[in-house]
Amino acid sequence: MFIRFITTGGTIDKIYFDATSQYEVGESHVKHILSEGLVNFDYDLVPMFQKDSLEITDENRQALKEFIENDDASLYVITHGTDTMVETAAKLSSISGKTVILTGSLSPARFKTTDAIFNIGMAVAAVQSVEPGVYLVMNGQVFAEGEVCKNSSANRFEKIGESGSGT
Amino acid sequence: MFIRFITTGGTIDKIYFDATSQYEVGESHVKHILSEGLVNFDYDLVPMFQKDSLEITDENRQALKEFIENDDASLYVITHGTDTMVETAAKLSSISGKTVILTGSLSPARFKTTDAIFNIGMAVAAVQSVEPGVYLVMNGQVFAEGEVCKNSSANRFEKIGESGSGT
Amino acid sequence: MFIRFITTGGTIDKIYFDATSQYEVGESHVKHILSEGLVNFDYDLVPMFQKDSLEITDENRQALKEFIENDDASLYVITHGTDTMVETAAKLSSISGKTVILTGSLSPARFKTTDAIFNIGMAVAAVQSVEPGVYLVMNGQVFAEGEVCKNSSANRFEKIGESGSGT
Amino acid sequence: MFIRFITTGGTIDKIYFDATSQYEVGESHVKHILSEGLVNFDYDLVPMFQKDSLEITDENRQALKEFIENDDASLYVITHGTDTMVETAAKLSSISGKTVILTGSLSPARFKTTDAIFNIGMAVAAVQSVEPGVYLVMNGQVFAEGEVCKNSSANRFEKIGESGSGT
């Protein structure tokens, strides 16, 4: 089994520089998480961009889609900011014959308390278990692309229509 | 979605009592891990027994099997010691119409560095993604029951026949 | 032995709210750190204010000084933001007959990797070991008030004149 | 300022080998803790032995004492198992003109929840603040050699005579 991990930034990789009192997106924590998870499969890690997901452009999404289409792997885990993860999933939905899991975290991987490790674990299990297609993995659930939204007020991902409060 | 978690002891729940300098199996860390994972589904947690898996008897396994067969849930995650996880999976393999994931960890959940969080994340994704049946989730992989063994010298789980060193 | 802890905000207590993508100062982590440190002495914790230290005013400092002068304890540990810790120490330097240790951290206590636990441990040892007076404890060192500055470019505290680059 | 750290084993450096289900004393975590503490002083680390403190012999203590007496540093922090820390302190008490702090932890430094970081922080502050002599730093307190015992039933260090239950 081979999994290609692609990092695009987002909360999961945010770090904090004291001098500026600004959060910025840092080097990915994914490799460290896989090492702690004692994973025993082949993988590599492609840092595509390092952005807050509100700043990801259509050009970025197009480039991401073309990268995957032209690449020779069949299993992908993409770490991504939560605010536009749904939009990126929609953009990637026309990719055929490959399994693509998007995930991220609601608190940074560098925090003592974080959902990042759990979510990367979920993504790794999902990518080898589901049918080819595009999926989101967050909040303990594996969502097919198109059936999920971020409920911003509750700060979590939900099936569309489930709580009535998604946007 | 509803998941029933069953804890049976093992390294994942080991704790250390200074007075005796002995590791003993403590209260399960699973609830804490699910809380950090910000999971948004219904679940409960059944503490079945708290044993080093070398001490799990045939009677214990039979009781576990009957509990699941007579229970009304369809998705199960069982935490279990690694030394006899394969044996317990074999015993449960005749359960039909339910999805059962066994997992655990090679270092205790209470350690700073542990595979427990990653593995529970994997199990949660697997239980909702695979066809009904019995599976083991360890070392970044989702194994079907019957195709996996613990390679004790390398201290990891592998597909049977893959490394030639499994026992 | 009785120690009065006073919290005033700063990086040590910063938390991160995803909705606004802003760091804000949260409830103090000091009690949690003392609990992990298995301390066996009497103490209490006074939350004085919760501010980035650049926003601490002369009135705030005067109030802090008067609180300590009129209070009946003799040992104090104050957690404080790093940017104006030196200024607050100077303001408190005229307090007599009491031991006052200022500390904080360069990365938040809620991070996996943080100097907060180490620094609180240092402050607790210093407050019971030094002569009455005002001290800063940061970067592994116990500085007397008046001999220390923050070297902002190196992001650490140093003895005045030591590196030539302090400001 | 220069501090010589000497490691002798004990709970603080215990690690867990799954194969044997035995705790054994591993490579010291002290360097890692100092790095997280962002310390800015010169130091080195001498691994003297790696033992459960119940196994430290009189010959070991004599060797430790002679090492310090013949060494050119003046500030020492020794990490040590808790069960015989008091005995080792007594043995070292005749060293003159040097400051020696013994510390350790009641739960291993590799645990998520541990007093190790706090205690090393305390030791670093104490060694530069107290008069030359031999001290124990545990449970939030700086004890002079000769006035402290381990209360085994409460699993903590106390001033002799304080609780009536020491020894």
Side-chain angles (χ1 to χ4, degrees), chain A residues 11 14 16 18 21 23 82 106 108-112 114 117 150 155, chain C residues 11 14 16 18 21 23 82 106 108-112 114 150 155:
Chain A
T11 297
K14 274 187 182 163
Y16 175 68
D18 189 65
S21 284
Y23 247 114
T82 59
L106 293 163
R110 280 162 184 80
F111 275 27
K112 272 197 184 85
T114 176
I117 305 165
K150 184 177 178 187
N155 199 26
Chain C
T11 296
K14 274 187 183 163
Y16 175 68
D18 189 66
S21 284
Y23 247 114
T82 59
L106 294 163
R110 280 161 185 81
F111 275 27
K112 271 197 186 83
T114 175
K150 184 177 177 186
N155 199 27

PDB file of all heavy atoms in Angstrom, chain A residues 11 14 16 18 21 23 82 106 108-112 114 117 150 155, chain C residues 11 14 16 18 21 23 82 106 108-112 114 150 155:
ATOM      1  N   THR A  11      -5.494  25.154   9.904  1.00  0.00           N
ATOM      2  CA  THR A  11      -5.296  25.143  11.356  1.00  0.00           C
ATOM      3  C   THR A  11      -4.383  24.008  11.805  1.00  0.00           C
ATOM      4  O   THR A  11      -3.569  24.173  12.712  1.00  0.00           O
ATOM      5  CB  THR A  11      -6.657  25.003  12.073  1.00  0.00           C
ATOM      6  OG1 THR A  11      -7.447  26.155  11.759  1.00  0.00           O
ATOM      7  CG2 THR A  11      -6.503  24.911  13.576  1.00  0.00           C
ATOM      8  N   LYS A  14      -0.931  25.203  11.917  1.00  0.00           N
ATOM      9  CA  LYS A  14      -0.642  26.554  12.386  1.00  0.00           C
ATOM     10  C   LYS A  14       0.374  26.551  13.511  1.00  0.00           C
ATOM     11  O   LYS A  14       0.377  25.671  14.368  1.00  0.00           O
ATOM     12  CB  LYS A  14      -1.925  27.249  12.840  1.00  0.00           C
ATOM     13  CG  LYS A  14      -2.638  27.908  11.661  1.00  0.00           C
ATOM     14  CD  LYS A  14      -3.806  28.737  12.076  1.00  0.00           C
ATOM     15  CE  LYS A  14      -4.488  29.315  10.831  1.00  0.00           C
ATOM     16  NZ  LYS A  14      -5.845  29.783  11.121  1.00  0.00           N
ATOM     17  N   TYR A  16       2.711  29.550  16.090  1.00  0.00           N
ATOM     18  CA  TYR A  16       2.532  30.839  16.726  1.00  0.00           C
ATOM     19  C   TYR A  16       3.893  31.492  16.886  1.00  0.00           C
ATOM     20  O   TYR A  16       4.799  30.927  17.484  1.00  0.00           O
ATOM     21  CB  TYR A  16       1.894  30.603  18.098  1.00  0.00           C
ATOM     22  CG  TYR A  16       1.739  31.814  18.956  1.00  0.00           C
ATOM     23  CD1 TYR A  16       0.857  32.811  18.613  1.00  0.00           C
ATOM     24  CD2 TYR A  16       2.477  31.946  20.124  1.00  0.00           C
ATOM     25  CE1 TYR A  16       0.691  33.923  19.422  1.00  0.00           C
ATOM     26  CE2 TYR A  16       2.307  33.047  20.936  1.00  0.00           C
ATOM     27  CZ  TYR A  16       1.415  34.027  20.586  1.00  0.00           C
ATOM     28  OH  TYR A  16       1.254  35.124  21.383  1.00  0.00           O
ATOM     29  N   ASP A  18       5.864  34.460  18.517  1.00  0.00           N
ATOM     30  CA  ASP A  18       5.630  35.403  19.590  1.00  0.00           C
ATOM     31  C   ASP A  18       5.905  36.836  19.163  1.00  0.00           C
ATOM     32  O   ASP A  18       5.191  37.755  19.530  1.00  0.00           O
ATOM     33  CB  ASP A  18       6.509  35.058  20.795  1.00  0.00           C
ATOM     34  CG  ASP A  18       6.126  35.886  21.996  1.00  0.00           C
ATOM     35  OD1 ASP A  18       5.001  35.706  22.484  1.00  0.00           O
ATOM     36  OD2 ASP A  18       6.922  36.735  22.432  1.00  0.00           O
ATOM     37  N   SER A  21       2.977  38.037  17.382  1.00  0.00           N
ATOM     38  CA  SER A  21       1.690  37.646  17.949  1.00  0.00           C
ATOM     39  C   SER A  21       0.702  37.208  16.871  1.00  0.00           C
ATOM     40  O   SER A  21      -0.488  37.417  16.970  1.00  0.00           O
ATOM     41  CB  SER A  21       1.074  38.775  18.788  1.00  0.00           C
ATOM     42  OG  SER A  21       1.713  38.871  20.026  1.00  0.00           O
ATOM     43  N   TYR A  23      -0.582  34.007  14.264  1.00  0.00           N
ATOM     44  CA  TYR A  23      -0.498  32.622  13.882  1.00  0.00           C
ATOM     45  C   TYR A  23      -0.037  32.555  12.448  1.00  0.00           C
ATOM     46  O   TYR A  23      -0.515  33.284  11.604  1.00  0.00           O
ATOM     47  CB  TYR A  23      -1.886  31.974  13.939  1.00  0.00           C
ATOM     48  CG  TYR A  23      -1.957  30.949  15.003  1.00  0.00           C
ATOM     49  CD1 TYR A  23      -2.769  31.132  16.101  1.00  0.00           C
ATOM     50  CD2 TYR A  23      -1.207  29.788  14.911  1.00  0.00           C
ATOM     51  CE1 TYR A  23      -2.837  30.182  17.089  1.00  0.00           C
ATOM     52  CE2 TYR A  23      -1.273  28.841  15.904  1.00  0.00           C
ATOM     53  CZ  TYR A  23      -2.084  29.043  16.990  1.00  0.00           C
ATOM     54  OH  TYR A  23      -2.144  28.104  17.968  1.00  0.00           O
ATOM     55  N   THR A  82     -10.201  24.159   7.563  1.00  0.00           N
ATOM     56  CA  THR A  82     -11.586  23.688   7.640  1.00  0.00           C
ATOM     57  C   THR A  82     -12.582  24.624   6.947  1.00  0.00           C
ATOM     58  O   THR A  82     -13.646  24.179   6.521  1.00  0.00           O
ATOM     59  CB  THR A  82     -12.014  23.506   9.114  1.00  0.00           C
ATOM     60  OG1 THR A  82     -11.875  24.762   9.789  1.00  0.00           O
ATOM     61  CG2 THR A  82     -11.143  22.467   9.794  1.00  0.00           C
ATOM     62  N   LEU A 106      -9.574  21.109  14.013  1.00  0.00           N
ATOM     63  CA  LEU A 106     -10.195  22.327  14.543  1.00  0.00           C
ATOM     64  C   LEU A 106      -9.293  23.015  15.553  1.00  0.00           C
ATOM     65  O   LEU A 106      -9.447  24.188  15.843  1.00  0.00           O
ATOM     66  CB  LEU A 106     -11.566  22.000  15.142  1.00  0.00           C
ATOM     67  CG  LEU A 106     -12.581  21.548  14.073  1.00  0.00           C
ATOM     68  CD1 LEU A 106     -13.776  20.841  14.692  1.00  0.00           C
ATOM     69  CD2 LEU A 106     -13.041  22.734  13.230  1.00  0.00           C
ATOM     70  N   PRO A 108      -4.903  23.305  16.460  1.00  0.00           N
ATOM     71  CA  PRO A 108      -3.617  22.992  15.841  1.00  0.00           C
ATOM     72  C   PRO A 108      -2.980  21.701  16.371  1.00  0.00           C
ATOM     73  O   PRO A 108      -3.103  21.378  17.560  1.00  0.00           O
ATOM     74  CB  PRO A 108      -2.750  24.204  16.214  1.00  0.00           C
ATOM     75  CG  PRO A 108      -3.713  25.317  16.400  1.00  0.00           C
ATOM     76  CD  PRO A 108      -4.916  24.675  17.033  1.00  0.00           C
ATOM     77  N   ALA A 109      -2.281  21.002  15.513  1.00  0.00           N
ATOM     78  CA  ALA A 109      -1.579  19.774  15.887  1.00  0.00           C
ATOM     79  C   ALA A 109      -0.533  20.033  16.972  1.00  0.00           C
ATOM     80  O   ALA A 109      -0.175  19.122  17.715  1.00  0.00           O
ATOM     81  CB  ALA A 109      -0.909  19.156  14.661  1.00  0.00           C
ATOM     82  N   ARG A 110      -0.038  21.264  17.071  1.00  0.00           N
ATOM     83  CA  ARG A 110       0.984  21.585  18.070  1.00  0.00           C
ATOM     84  C   ARG A 110       0.405  21.797  19.466  1.00  0.00           C
ATOM     85  O   ARG A 110       1.157  21.956  20.429  1.00  0.00           O
ATOM     86  CB  ARG A 110       1.772  22.822  17.634  1.00  0.00           C
ATOM     87  CG  ARG A 110       2.839  22.492  16.584  1.00  0.00           C
ATOM     88  CD  ARG A 110       3.320  23.710  15.842  1.00  0.00           C
ATOM     89  NE  ARG A 110       4.271  23.328  14.795  1.00  0.00           N
ATOM     90  CZ  ARG A 110       3.903  22.839  13.599  1.00  0.00           C
ATOM     91  NH1 ARG A 110       2.631  22.674  13.314  1.00  0.00           N
ATOM     92  NH2 ARG A 110       4.828  22.506  12.703  1.00  0.00           N
ATOM     93  N   PHE A 111      -0.940  21.826  19.579  1.00  0.00           N
ATOM     94  CA  PHE A 111      -1.551  21.984  20.904  1.00  0.00           C
ATOM     95  C   PHE A 111      -1.501  20.666  21.675  1.00  0.00           C
ATOM     96  O   PHE A 111      -1.494  19.591  21.094  1.00  0.00           O
ATOM     97  CB  PHE A 111      -3.011  22.406  20.760  1.00  0.00           C
ATOM     98  CG  PHE A 111      -3.201  23.891  20.601  1.00  0.00           C
ATOM     99  CD1 PHE A 111      -2.215  24.688  20.056  1.00  0.00           C
ATOM    100  CD2 PHE A 111      -4.388  24.502  20.992  1.00  0.00           C
ATOM    101  CE1 PHE A 111      -2.393  26.061  19.907  1.00  0.00           C
ATOM    102  CE2 PHE A 111      -4.569  25.868  20.850  1.00  0.00           C
ATOM    103  CZ  PHE A 111      -3.583  26.648  20.317  1.00  0.00           C
ATOM    104  N   LYS A 112      -1.465  20.777  23.010  1.00  0.00           N
ATOM    105  CA  LYS A 112      -1.549  19.587  23.860  1.00  0.00           C
ATOM    106  C   LYS A 112      -2.833  18.833  23.569  1.00  0.00           C
ATOM    107  O   LYS A 112      -2.850  17.623  23.512  1.00  0.00           O
ATOM    108  CB  LYS A 112      -1.560  20.000  25.341  1.00  0.00           C
ATOM    109  CG  LYS A 112      -0.218  20.139  25.974  1.00  0.00           C
ATOM    110  CD  LYS A 112      -0.347  20.125  27.493  1.00  0.00           C
ATOM    111  CE  LYS A 112       1.010  20.365  28.123  1.00  0.00           C
ATOM    112  NZ  LYS A 112       1.325  21.800  28.233  1.00  0.00           N
ATOM    113  N   THR A 114      -5.650  18.309  20.852  1.00  0.00           N
ATOM    114  CA  THR A 114      -5.895  18.552  19.437  1.00  0.00           C
ATOM    115  C   THR A 114      -6.613  17.351  18.841  1.00  0.00           C
ATOM    116  O   THR A 114      -6.426  16.219  19.293  1.00  0.00           O
ATOM    117  CB  THR A 114      -4.575  18.786  18.679  1.00  0.00           C
ATOM    118  OG1 THR A 114      -4.870  18.917  17.285  1.00  0.00           O
ATOM    119  CG2 THR A 114      -3.586  17.638  18.854  1.00  0.00           C
ATOM    120  N   ILE A 117      -4.310  14.285  15.509  1.00  0.00           N
ATOM    121  CA  ILE A 117      -3.801  12.903  15.468  1.00  0.00           C
ATOM    122  C   ILE A 117      -4.946  11.940  15.156  1.00  0.00           C
ATOM    123  O   ILE A 117      -4.827  11.059  14.301  1.00  0.00           O
ATOM    124  CB  ILE A 117      -3.159  12.535  16.824  1.00  0.00           C
ATOM    125  CG1 ILE A 117      -2.076  13.554  17.198  1.00  0.00           C
ATOM    126  CG2 ILE A 117      -2.574  11.122  16.779  1.00  0.00           C
ATOM    127  CD1 ILE A 117      -1.644  13.475  18.651  1.00  0.00           C
ATOM    128  N   LYS A 150     -19.750  22.567   6.863  1.00  0.00           N
ATOM    129  CA  LYS A 150     -19.235  22.991   8.163  1.00  0.00           C
ATOM    130  C   LYS A 150     -20.290  23.856   8.839  1.00  0.00           C
ATOM    131  O   LYS A 150     -20.722  24.870   8.282  1.00  0.00           O
ATOM    132  CB  LYS A 150     -17.933  23.781   8.002  1.00  0.00           C
ATOM    133  CG  LYS A 150     -17.320  24.165   9.367  1.00  0.00           C
ATOM    134  CD  LYS A 150     -15.989  24.896   9.255  1.00  0.00           C
ATOM    135  CE  LYS A 150     -15.487  25.276  10.655  1.00  0.00           C
ATOM    136  NZ  LYS A 150     -14.288  26.127  10.608  1.00  0.00           N
ATOM    137  N   ASN A 155     -19.002  24.994  15.159  1.00  0.00           N
ATOM    138  CA  ASN A 155     -17.604  24.667  14.861  1.00  0.00           C
ATOM    139  C   ASN A 155     -17.393  23.169  14.657  1.00  0.00           C
ATOM    140  O   ASN A 155     -16.499  22.565  15.256  1.00  0.00           O
ATOM    141  CB  ASN A 155     -16.671  25.191  15.955  1.00  0.00           C
ATOM    142  CG  ASN A 155     -15.224  25.298  15.472  1.00  0.00           C
ATOM    143  OD1 ASN A 155     -14.980  25.458  14.268  1.00  0.00           O
ATOM    144  ND2 ASN A 155     -14.273  25.192  16.386  1.00  0.00           N
TER     145      ASN A 155
ATOM    146  N   THR C  11       1.309  35.443  27.294  1.00  0.00           N
ATOM    147  CA  THR C  11       1.392  34.265  26.415  1.00  0.00           C
ATOM    148  C   THR C  11       1.112  32.966  27.166  1.00  0.00           C
ATOM    149  O   THR C  11       0.473  32.057  26.631  1.00  0.00           O
ATOM    150  CB  THR C  11       2.798  34.194  25.780  1.00  0.00           C
ATOM    151  OG1 THR C  11       2.972  35.344  24.950  1.00  0.00           O
ATOM    152  CG2 THR C  11       2.966  32.942  24.932  1.00  0.00           C
ATOM    153  N   LYS C  14      -2.444  32.160  26.932  1.00  0.00           N
ATOM    154  CA  LYS C  14      -3.155  32.409  25.679  1.00  0.00           C
ATOM    155  C   LYS C  14      -3.850  31.162  25.171  1.00  0.00           C
ATOM    156  O   LYS C  14      -3.349  30.055  25.287  1.00  0.00           O
ATOM    157  CB  LYS C  14      -2.190  32.936  24.614  1.00  0.00           C
ATOM    158  CG  LYS C  14      -2.055  34.466  24.732  1.00  0.00           C
ATOM    159  CD  LYS C  14      -1.265  35.055  23.608  1.00  0.00           C
ATOM    160  CE  LYS C  14      -1.100  36.569  23.840  1.00  0.00           C
ATOM    161  NZ  LYS C  14      -0.026  37.133  23.018  1.00  0.00           N
ATOM    162  N   TYR C  16      -6.649  29.894  21.779  1.00  0.00           N
ATOM    163  CA  TYR C  16      -6.888  30.172  20.372  1.00  0.00           C
ATOM    164  C   TYR C  16      -8.346  29.877  20.053  1.00  0.00           C
ATOM    165  O   TYR C  16      -8.818  28.770  20.276  1.00  0.00           O
ATOM    166  CB  TYR C  16      -5.981  29.254  19.556  1.00  0.00           C
ATOM    167  CG  TYR C  16      -6.161  29.303  18.077  1.00  0.00           C
ATOM    168  CD1 TYR C  16      -5.805  30.434  17.359  1.00  0.00           C
ATOM    169  CD2 TYR C  16      -6.682  28.203  17.400  1.00  0.00           C
ATOM    170  CE1 TYR C  16      -5.950  30.456  15.992  1.00  0.00           C
ATOM    171  CE2 TYR C  16      -6.824  28.231  16.028  1.00  0.00           C
ATOM    172  CZ  TYR C  16      -6.456  29.364  15.326  1.00  0.00           C
ATOM    173  OH  TYR C  16      -6.603  29.385  13.972  1.00  0.00           O
ATOM    174  N   ASP C  18     -10.991  29.470  17.201  1.00  0.00           N
ATOM    175  CA  ASP C  18     -10.972  29.240  15.768  1.00  0.00           C
ATOM    176  C   ASP C  18     -11.862  30.221  15.016  1.00  0.00           C
ATOM    177  O   ASP C  18     -11.512  30.711  13.955  1.00  0.00           O
ATOM    178  CB  ASP C  18     -11.408  27.816  15.439  1.00  0.00           C
ATOM    179  CG  ASP C  18     -11.181  27.499  13.976  1.00  0.00           C
ATOM    180  OD1 ASP C  18     -10.010  27.455  13.572  1.00  0.00           O
ATOM    181  OD2 ASP C  18     -12.166  27.332  13.239  1.00  0.00           O
ATOM    182  N   SER C  21     -10.037  33.339  14.670  1.00  0.00           N
ATOM    183  CA  SER C  21      -8.621  33.194  14.346  1.00  0.00           C
ATOM    184  C   SER C  21      -7.752  34.141  15.162  1.00  0.00           C
ATOM    185  O   SER C  21      -6.717  34.610  14.715  1.00  0.00           O
ATOM    186  CB  SER C  21      -8.355  33.400  12.850  1.00  0.00           C
ATOM    187  OG  SER C  21      -8.754  32.266  12.116  1.00  0.00           O
ATOM    188  N   TYR C  23      -5.800  34.887  18.927  1.00  0.00           N
ATOM    189  CA  TYR C  23      -5.403  34.415  20.238  1.00  0.00           C
ATOM    190  C   TYR C  23      -6.056  35.299  21.277  1.00  0.00           C
ATOM    191  O   TYR C  23      -6.060  36.499  21.162  1.00  0.00           O
ATOM    192  CB  TYR C  23      -3.889  34.560  20.413  1.00  0.00           C
ATOM    193  CG  TYR C  23      -3.227  33.238  20.490  1.00  0.00           C
ATOM    194  CD1 TYR C  23      -2.367  32.828  19.504  1.00  0.00           C
ATOM    195  CD2 TYR C  23      -3.482  32.388  21.550  1.00  0.00           C
ATOM    196  CE1 TYR C  23      -1.751  31.601  19.565  1.00  0.00           C
ATOM    197  CE2 TYR C  23      -2.879  31.155  21.609  1.00  0.00           C
ATOM    198  CZ  TYR C  23      -2.017  30.760  20.616  1.00  0.00           C
ATOM    199  OH  TYR C  23      -1.426  29.542  20.685  1.00  0.00           O
ATOM    200  N   THR C  82       5.525  38.515  28.550  1.00  0.00           N
ATOM    201  CA  THR C  82       6.969  38.755  28.563  1.00  0.00           C
ATOM    202  C   THR C  82       7.357  40.164  28.095  1.00  0.00           C
ATOM    203  O   THR C  82       8.415  40.655  28.473  1.00  0.00           O
ATOM    204  CB  THR C  82       7.690  37.716  27.670  1.00  0.00           C
ATOM    205  OG1 THR C  82       7.178  37.811  26.338  1.00  0.00           O
ATOM    206  CG2 THR C  82       7.466  36.306  28.192  1.00  0.00           C
ATOM    207  N   LEU C 106       7.351  31.778  26.831  1.00  0.00           N
ATOM    208  CA  LEU C 106       7.501  32.264  25.463  1.00  0.00           C
ATOM    209  C   LEU C 106       6.590  31.514  24.495  1.00  0.00           C
ATOM    210  O   LEU C 106       6.326  31.982  23.405  1.00  0.00           O
ATOM    211  CB  LEU C 106       8.972  32.178  25.037  1.00  0.00           C
ATOM    212  CG  LEU C 106       9.869  33.142  25.845  1.00  0.00           C
ATOM    213  CD1 LEU C 106      11.332  32.762  25.722  1.00  0.00           C
ATOM    214  CD2 LEU C 106       9.661  34.594  25.399  1.00  0.00           C
ATOM    215  N   PRO C 108       2.710  29.288  24.616  1.00  0.00           N
ATOM    216  CA  PRO C 108       1.561  29.091  25.514  1.00  0.00           C
ATOM    217  C   PRO C 108       1.601  27.755  26.261  1.00  0.00           C
ATOM    218  O   PRO C 108       2.061  26.735  25.725  1.00  0.00           O
ATOM    219  CB  PRO C 108       0.359  29.131  24.570  1.00  0.00           C
ATOM    220  CG  PRO C 108       0.812  29.961  23.406  1.00  0.00           C
ATOM    221  CD  PRO C 108       2.262  29.598  23.233  1.00  0.00           C
ATOM    222  N   ALA C 109       1.096  27.752  27.479  1.00  0.00           N
ATOM    223  CA  ALA C 109       1.039  26.538  28.306  1.00  0.00           C
ATOM    224  C   ALA C 109       0.196  25.459  27.642  1.00  0.00           C
ATOM    225  O   ALA C 109       0.377  24.281  27.911  1.00  0.00           O
ATOM    226  CB  ALA C 109       0.463  26.875  29.680  1.00  0.00           C
ATOM    227  N   ARG C 110      -0.723  25.848  26.760  1.00  0.00           N
ATOM    228  CA  ARG C 110      -1.580  24.855  26.106  1.00  0.00           C
ATOM    229  C   ARG C 110      -0.884  24.149  24.943  1.00  0.00           C
ATOM    230  O   ARG C 110      -1.450  23.217  24.369  1.00  0.00           O
ATOM    231  CB  ARG C 110      -2.870  25.527  25.600  1.00  0.00           C
ATOM    232  CG  ARG C 110      -3.893  25.727  26.712  1.00  0.00           C
ATOM    233  CD  ARG C 110      -4.939  26.740  26.401  1.00  0.00           C
ATOM    234  NE  ARG C 110      -5.816  26.965  27.542  1.00  0.00           N
ATOM    235  CZ  ARG C 110      -5.512  27.757  28.570  1.00  0.00           C
ATOM    236  NH1 ARG C 110      -4.351  28.377  28.608  1.00  0.00           N
ATOM    237  NH2 ARG C 110      -6.371  27.908  29.564  1.00  0.00           N
ATOM    238  N   PHE C 111       0.311  24.591  24.572  1.00  0.00           N
ATOM    239  CA  PHE C 111       1.048  23.924  23.498  1.00  0.00           C
ATOM    240  C   PHE C 111       1.672  22.621  24.003  1.00  0.00           C
ATOM    241  O   PHE C 111       1.997  22.485  25.173  1.00  0.00           O
ATOM    242  CB  PHE C 111       2.170  24.835  22.980  1.00  0.00           C
ATOM    243  CG  PHE C 111       1.721  25.813  21.942  1.00  0.00           C
ATOM    244  CD1 PHE C 111       0.408  26.257  21.886  1.00  0.00           C
ATOM    245  CD2 PHE C 111       2.612  26.311  20.995  1.00  0.00           C
ATOM    246  CE1 PHE C 111      -0.006  27.172  20.918  1.00  0.00           C
ATOM    247  CE2 PHE C 111       2.213  27.220  20.024  1.00  0.00           C
ATOM    248  CZ  PHE C 111       0.911  27.652  19.984  1.00  0.00           C
ATOM    249  N   LYS C 112       1.872  21.674  23.070  1.00  0.00           N
ATOM    250  CA  LYS C 112       2.582  20.437  23.407  1.00  0.00           C
ATOM    251  C   LYS C 112       3.981  20.753  23.891  1.00  0.00           C
ATOM    252  O   LYS C 112       4.476  20.172  24.835  1.00  0.00           O
ATOM    253  CB  LYS C 112       2.695  19.542  22.157  1.00  0.00           C
ATOM    254  CG  LYS C 112       1.553  18.613  21.954  1.00  0.00           C
ATOM    255  CD  LYS C 112       1.938  17.504  20.976  1.00  0.00           C
ATOM    256  CE  LYS C 112       0.749  16.636  20.642  1.00  0.00           C
ATOM    257  NZ  LYS C 112      -0.099  17.182  19.590  1.00  0.00           N
ATOM    258  N   THR C 114       6.195  23.624  25.400  1.00  0.00           N
ATOM    259  CA  THR C 114       6.065  24.916  26.066  1.00  0.00           C
ATOM    260  C   THR C 114       7.075  25.004  27.198  1.00  0.00           C
ATOM    261  O   THR C 114       7.441  23.988  27.791  1.00  0.00           O
ATOM    262  CB  THR C 114       4.648  25.101  26.645  1.00  0.00           C
ATOM    263  OG1 THR C 114       4.605  26.332  27.380  1.00  0.00           O
ATOM    264  CG2 THR C 114       4.259  23.970  27.585  1.00  0.00           C
ATOM    265  N   LYS C 150      14.584  41.935  28.207  1.00  0.00           N
ATOM    266  CA  LYS C 150      14.189  40.986  27.172  1.00  0.00           C
ATOM    267  C   LYS C 150      14.910  41.342  25.884  1.00  0.00           C
ATOM    268  O   LYS C 150      14.794  42.458  25.385  1.00  0.00           O
ATOM    269  CB  LYS C 150      12.669  41.010  26.949  1.00  0.00           C
ATOM    270  CG  LYS C 150      12.218  39.954  25.925  1.00  0.00           C
ATOM    271  CD  LYS C 150      10.702  39.904  25.736  1.00  0.00           C
ATOM    272  CE  LYS C 150      10.349  38.864  24.648  1.00  0.00           C
ATOM    273  NZ  LYS C 150       8.902  38.872  24.322  1.00  0.00           N
ATOM    274  N   ASN C 155      14.428  36.678  21.284  1.00  0.00           N
ATOM    275  CA  ASN C 155      13.255  36.188  22.014  1.00  0.00           C
ATOM    276  C   ASN C 155      13.649  35.448  23.292  1.00  0.00           C
ATOM    277  O   ASN C 155      13.219  34.331  23.542  1.00  0.00           O
ATOM    278  CB  ASN C 155      12.399  35.280  21.106  1.00  0.00           C
ATOM    279  CG  ASN C 155      10.976  35.141  21.650  1.00  0.00           C
ATOM    280  OD1 ASN C 155      10.477  36.030  22.350  1.00  0.00           O
ATOM    281  ND2 ASN C 155      10.335  34.027  21.332  1.00  0.00           N
TER     282      ASN C 155
END
